[in-house]
Amino acid sequence: EDQVTQSPEALRLQEGESSSLNCSYTVSGLRGLFWYRQDPGKGPEFLFTLYSAGEEKEKERLKATLTKKESFLHITAPKPEDSATYLCAVQSGDYKLSFGAGTTVTVRA
Amino acid sequence: EAQVTQNPRYLITVTGKKLTVTCSQNMNHEYMSWYRQDPGLGLRQIYYSMNVEVTDKGDVPEGYKVSRKEKRNFPLILESPSPNQTSLYFCASSPGATNNEQFFGPGTRLTVL
């Protein structure tokens, strides 16, 4: 069974204080690893897809990286508007998707 | 506007009363999926469909049915709802199974008494 574990569960940051979120996974035949952002009361919003170890993607203050066993989401100099829950998901060989429980990030001004 | 719509957004029902939650997308996407989200458990995939008339079980399919007769619609059916199906449900779609940038609907909050 595919498993996705995210850590920490919650992260409180001061504005400008960079940090990283971790997503470790076990999957049968990884087709892709995805990062989403979810705001309270809304559906998740797509951020990145990573397909192979060593791949990196960037978007504004966010950078996602992938190794064979885990992915990191780096938040550089965060702002209060970066406060959200960040979700990691993996797609297995049979196209099934498994999500982690998420990391809730709070950025204080 | 490209979007995934779900109806109803909120539903309170009683045990055993059949219900359907509709999902529709206007982006001509091939891949559609249903999830439930529960505190501490994250999003769990119920069913997914890679194209019309093709559906597969996700991690938690028990107690649910789906159908994909048209590309744009992917309804979720609870034949005999039970209290443990009280949850927040999301429908999502993506261009294809190998391009899985998913667009999520706004969610349906279901309470089964």
Side-chain angles (χ1 to χ4, degrees):
Chain A
E1 187 177 317
D2 303 332
Q3 283 200 327
V4 181
T5 303
Q6 292 188 245
S7 61
E9 289 185 15
L11 191 59
R12 294 176 64 87
L13 301 172
Q14 200 66 35
E15 184 172 4
E17 178 189 0
S18 301
S19 189
S20 293
L21 285 55
N22 177 264
C23 171
S24 62
Y25 63 90
T26 55
V27 64
S28 175
L30 179 71
R31 289 193 179 273
L33 183 140
F34 309 87
W35 283 98
Y36 287 83
R37 169 194 171 121
Q38 186 174 24
D39 294 304
K42 294 191 174 181
E45 177 185 340
F46 172 80
L47 292 173
F48 304 109
T49 306
L50 301 166
Y51 292 104
S52 57
E55 192 173 357
E56 298 183 351
K57 294 269 179 78
E58 281 190 71
K59 180 179 180 179
E60 296 180 2
R61 294 176 293 282
L62 300 176
K63 179 179 177 181
T65 62
L66 180 64
T67 72
K68 287 188 177 178
K69 293 184 178 181
E70 57 191 350
S71 176
F72 294 92
L73 184 66
H74 309 277
I75 310 178
T76 302
K79 298 182 177 182
E81 53 262 43
D82 294 321
S83 297
T85 296
Y86 292 87
L87 303 171
C88 172
V90 296
Q91 186 172 35
S92 58
D94 58 359
Y95 300 101
K96 190 185 296 186
L97 276 156
S98 299
F99 279 78
T103 294
T104 299
V105 175
T106 304
V107 182
R108 295 166 291 176
Chain B
E1 181 190 352
Q3 60 183 345
V4 177
T5 57
Q6 296 178 226
N7 282 293
R9 295 288 315 280
Y10 303 90
L11 179 61
I12 300 174
T13 189
V14 295
T15 299
K17 185 176 181 182
K18 181 179 179 180
L19 67 92
T20 299
V21 184
T22 65
C23 173
S24 182
Q25 49 93 6
N26 63 0
M27 295 168 280
N28 201 37
H29 284 171
E30 291 186 350
Y31 189 101
M32 295 187 75
S33 186
W34 274 104
Y35 300 89
R36 61 179 290 172
Q37 188 171 38
D38 302 289
L41 296 177
L43 280 162
R44 292 180 291 168
Q45 193 173 42
I46 303 171
Y47 272 95
Y48 62 102
S49 169
M50 290 197 281
N51 215 324
V52 175
E53 301 292 2
V54 179
T55 62
D56 284 290
K57 295 178 181 179
D59 287 328
V60 288
E62 295 78 20
Y64 304 95
K65 284 176 58 177
V66 293
S67 67
R68 186 94 183 272
K69 292 182 169 46
E70 308 166 278
K71 201 170 189 178
R72 64 184 295 129
N73 296 323
F74 191 44
L76 179 69
I77 303 158
L78 284 72
E79 296 268 4
S80 183
S82 62
N84 64 11
Q85 292 179 297
T86 293
S87 187
L88 178 60
Y89 291 86
F90 287 102
C91 179
S93 73
S94 65
T98 55
N99 177 4
N100 225 316
E101 173 185 333
Q102 292 196 77
F103 292 80
F104 281 79
T108 295
R109 186 164 292 281
L110 172 66
T111 301
V112 183
L113 301 174

